[in-house]
Amino acid sequence: MHPQNKMVVVAQLVRALDCGSRGRGFEPHLPPKKTVTKLGNGFFYIFNSAQTPKEKLKKLIIMIDLTKIKSINSVIAAYFKKNKKKAIIPVKELMPAFIEAGIFVKDFKNGKPIREILRELDSTNQRELIPFLHSEEKDNNIYWYFIPANAPTPTTPYKQEQTFQSKKELAEIARSLSDESYIIDLCDEILGQKAERQKRFDFLLGDLHKDGKSRTKLPVDAYYYALSLVVEYREFEDSTIETSSNADETKTVSGVSRLQQRKIYDKRRAAELPKHGIKMIEIPYEIFDCNEQNKIVRNIKEDTKKLTELLNNEGFYFTSK
C-alpha cells in the first residue's frame, strides 16, 4: 500500500474512535484522501485534499474534545444547582460563565462558540453528550437552550423576552459559577456556615480617588462572622498583562497597573484584618488540579479533602466527608 494511503487509513480510524460507534463514517466505505490538521484546543480539522479552499470551509468537520464537553456540562450543572427555579436558559446567556471557566477565550456573535459545538454534536448524532441540551426549530433556524438534566422536554416555545438578562446580571452569573464561588461553596459546606460574600468593612479602604477625599471600601471574598474569619481565593494572574501594549491605559487612580493594584490591596487586607480580630486565610489555586487555562478541574471529593486539610492547618479542625 502506498504510504499516503496508510496515513489516510489511520485518520479514518481516529475519527471512528472519536465519534463513537454511531459516527457517520465515510461513503463509500473506502479510505478517502484526507488531510488531518490539529489546530490546538482539542480540535482536529479534516479536509478532503481534492477540495478547493472554498469547499474545505463549507465541509469543515470539527472533532469535539470530550474534555471540553465535560467542562461545559460542569458549568451548566452548577448553574441549575444555583438557580433551582430556572427551567430553561438560552445557551448564549451562559457564555460569560464558559469564558470564566476557561472553555472559550471570548464570545462573538452572541454565543457562536458554543453554538458551533452544539451544531457539530447534532450533525454527528451525539447530542446526548450534553444531557441539558434542548432545541427549537423556527423558520428553518435552530434555537439552542439548556434545561435541567432529566427535566421533561418543554411543550411550549420559549419566549426570549421573558428572561432577558442585562450585562450586569450575566456578569453575576459568571461570578456565581467562577472558581472563587466554587471554592467558597465548599468552604461553606466544610465550616457549616454560609459566608457573607463580597463583604466590605469600614476600616478596609482603597487608595484615595482623584477627588483627594473619598476612598472605596475593599471587598473580601468570604466573611464568616461567627468564626471571625475571612477566606480569600487566589486565582491565577496573567503577568503578561504588565507588558501589554496598552499597559498605560490600564493604570488605576494610584498610578499603577491593575495587577499591581490587586497585589497592594491583597497585602492591605492581610495587614488590616488581623488588627480588628479577623483571621484571613488565603487559598491558592495551585493546590487544586487545574486545566491548561489554570481553571480548577472540579472534583468535589478531592477538592473538599484538600480544603479541609488547609483549614485544619490554620486551626479550624474538621473531618473531610
Side-chain angles (χ1 to χ4, degrees), residues 34 48 68 78 143 149 155 168 203 231 260 276 284 291 304 320:
K34 298 281 182 177
N48 186 321
K68 189 180 291 285
Y143 296 87
T155 56
K168 181 179 180 180
F203 60 82
V231 171
Q260 291 174 318
H276 294 79
N291 60 22
T304 299
S320 180

Side-chain angles (χ1 to χ4, degrees), residues 66-300:
L66 294 183
T67 301
K68 189 180 291 285
I69 295 296
K70 183 178 179 181
S71 298
I72 289 172
N73 282 330
S74 295
V75 169
I76 302 170
Y79 172 80
F80 284 116
K81 183 178 180 180
K82 284 182 171 290
N83 299 271
K84 298 184 184 298
K85 294 183 179 180
K86 282 282 188 179
I88 187 171
I89 182 172
V91 299
K92 65 182 180 181
E93 294 191 12
L94 284 191
M95 276 302 298
F98 292 142
I99 294 170
E100 174 68 29
I103 300 171
F104 304 111
V105 176
K106 63 180 180 179
D107 187 19
F108 56 94
K109 294 188 178 180
N110 288 322
K112 186 175 180 180
I114 183 64
R115 290 199 303 272
E116 287 181 338
I117 288 181
L118 301 182
R119 287 167 184 159
E120 180 59 24
L121 290 179
D122 184 53
S123 67
T124 55
N125 297 317
Q126 296 183 97
R127 290 178 55 149
E128 72 278 3
L129 292 179
I130 299 182
F132 309 92
L133 192 56
H134 170 65
S135 63
E136 296 176 1
E137 293 189 27
K138 183 179 179 182
D139 299 328
N140 295 321
N141 292 316
I142 297 181
Y143 296 87
W144 300 98
Y145 307 93
F146 294 129
I147 61 176
N150 302 318
T153 301
T155 56
T156 57
Y158 176 84
K159 293 183 179 180
Q160 294 278 357
E161 65 271 17
Q162 287 183 342
T163 59
F164 174 76
Q165 292 173 302
S166 66
K167 289 184 178 180
K168 181 179 180 180
E169 290 171 325
L170 292 176
E172 290 174 352
I173 290 175
R175 173 179 283 279
S176 71
L177 300 178
S178 66
D179 282 351
E180 174 191 313
S181 183
Y182 167 70
I183 292 302
I184 302 305
D185 283 345
L186 294 183
C187 287
D188 285 355
E189 290 289 331
I190 297 169
L191 297 171
Q193 299 182 30
K194 192 171 182 63
E196 183 176 351
R197 307 193 185 197
Q198 300 302 300
K199 168 70 175 177
R200 297 173 187 265
F201 300 93
D202 292 336
F203 60 82
L204 189 58
L205 303 174
D207 293 337
L208 281 171
H209 291 173
K210 291 182 178 180
D211 60 13
K213 298 179 181 180
S214 59
R215 298 173 184 261
T216 298
K217 295 180 182 179
L218 301 179
V220 297
D221 292 342
Y223 175 54
Y224 296 91
Y225 175 79
L227 299 173
S228 294
L229 172 67
V230 161
V231 171
E232 286 281 301
Y233 174 67
R234 294 286 175 256
E235 63 183 358
F236 171 77
E237 293 181 334
D238 188 356
S239 60
T240 59
I241 295 175
E242 297 293 293
T243 58
S244 64
S245 58
N246 62 342
D248 291 337
E249 298 176 6
T250 61
K251 298 294 185 182
T252 65
V253 293
S254 302
V256 298
S257 71
R258 295 188 183 280
L259 180 57
Q260 291 174 318
Q261 188 75 75
R262 283 197 295 271
K263 291 179 178 179
I264 292 172
Y265 286 166
D266 287 344
K267 290 180 180 179
R268 189 169 300 175
R269 292 183 182 93
E272 292 298 320
L273 289 168
K275 294 179 182 178
H276 294 79
I278 300 173
K279 183 178 180 63
M280 188 182 91
I281 296 178
E282 293 186 346
I283 301 175
Y285 78 95
E286 294 97 333
I287 70 172
F288 305 102
D289 293 331
C290 296
N291 60 22
E292 293 179 355
Q293 288 76 38
N294 292 298
K295 300 296 183 179
I296 298 176
V297 178
R298 302 181 184 187
N299 182 320
I300 293 178

